[in-house]
Amino acid sequence: MTAAEAATNAEAATSAEAATSAADPASVAPAPAPGATPPRNPLVSRAAAELVGTALLVAIVVGSGIQATDLTDDVGLQLLANSTATVFGLGILILLLGPVSGAHFNPVVTLAEWWTARRGGAGVTPREVAVYVPAQIVGAIAGAILADAMFGEPLVKWSTHDRSAGPLLLGEVVATAGLILLIFGLARAGRLQYAPVAVASYIGAAYWFTSSTSFANPAVTIGRAFTDTFAGIAPGSVAGFIAMQVVGAVVGLGLVALIFMPGRSAE
């Protein structure tokens, strides 16, 4: 066989392989969807992604709140600025870090994933929960301190913004239940690739349709207690918010099980 013939044969083989791959999409390894938890990444990398992602999320929430109050006295415009910044920031963080850690940034999401894994679905292990949750809490506190530092506020000043009223607590149940329903509903429907847009959009909407402005996140709630600014929450209100977020997560998982119940084949 001459060199020219060998080259021709190799080119034909390559073309045949490409045609086979195009005809059979299943033969091509899919890219990890944002929101999924890829098993190949080292746990230290995933923990770092959760810490940094949660820190940046809280820095966005707190920082945009400070900026808004500096620019206008209109509370409606302040909330609009705060929610808009959060929507864009959260979407980018999920898009960037989702393929690394799943972009939970939220202990109730992590615990819900552990529960689904315990029930035989995909999710995180107890060891991963024990690493993720502290990373998220430390990240949230660091993010609040960072935002205060950027705007010349006291680095740590406990919030005086009381949020203990009953309607606000109900708002947290609704906000968290909706978030869990959205995330795990997307997973059941095989549409996690839409998580960056869907989750960010939901949180942006929940800023306005829930009385609590949708914290829906125990780590973020703890972090926001460290800043006495627009986005803060008084330490005395933290426990009630977290309790309602856990209740909301349970309700959300129940709705997922009910709405996305596996169908039965016809006999």
Side-chain angles (χ1 to χ4, degrees):
M1 180 184 294
T2 65
E5 289 172 338
T8 301
N9 289 341
E11 183 178 356
T14 301
S15 299
E17 290 173 358
T20 300
S21 297
D24 181 14
S27 65
V28 181
T37 305
R40 292 185 298 274
N41 296 308
L43 183 56
V44 65
S45 297
R46 284 179 275 155
E50 287 297 303
L51 190 152
V52 171
T54 311
L56 290 175
L57 174 59
V58 174
I60 290 166
V61 172
V62 174
S64 62
I66 297 172
Q67 184 79 283
T69 55
D70 286 345
L71 294 175
T72 179
D73 293 327
D74 187 316
V75 177
L77 288 178
Q78 292 170 357
L79 186 60
L80 178 61
N82 194 210
S83 61
T84 301
T86 301
V87 167
F88 286 115
L90 179 58
I92 291 298
L93 289 173
I94 296 173
L95 185 65
L96 174 65
L97 299 175
V100 179
S101 68
H104 298 184
F105 313 146
N106 189 335
V108 294
V109 173
T110 300
L111 290 171
E113 278 217 359
W114 165 78
W115 178 256
T116 59
R118 185 173 176 271
R119 304 283 293 178
V124 293
T125 65
R127 177 169 176 259
E128 290 168 326
V129 171
V131 172
Y132 270 40
V133 172
Q136 292 158 355
I137 294 172
V138 170
I141 295 171
I145 294 173
L146 175 61
D148 283 339
M150 287 191 293
F151 287 91
E153 299 287 337
L155 296 185
V156 175
K157 185 177 181 182
W158 299 117
S159 176
T160 56
H161 193 163
D162 180 74
R163 299 178 189 262
S164 59
L168 301 184
L169 298 178
L170 176 59
E172 277 304 285
V173 174
V174 173
T176 310
L179 178 63
I180 295 298
L181 173 60
L182 172 62
I183 294 172
F184 290 87
L186 287 174
R188 290 282 185 95
R191 295 184 174 182
L192 272 176
Q193 68 270 27
Y194 300 113
V197 172
V199 174
S201 298
Y202 172 79
I203 292 298
Y207 255 89
W208 290 91
F209 81 78
T210 64
S211 56
S212 64
T213 66
S214 184
F215 284 48
N217 185 327
V220 167
T221 303
I222 292 170
R224 288 169 67 164
F226 282 74
T227 176
D228 192 20
T229 58
F230 178 80
I233 177 173
S237 301
V238 169
F241 259 50
I242 292 177
M244 293 304 102
Q245 289 157 0
V246 172
V247 171
V250 173
V251 172
L253 285 175
L255 291 173
V256 171
L258 176 64
I259 295 171
F260 295 92
M261 189 182 301
R264 296 181 180 179
S265 58
E267 295 180 358

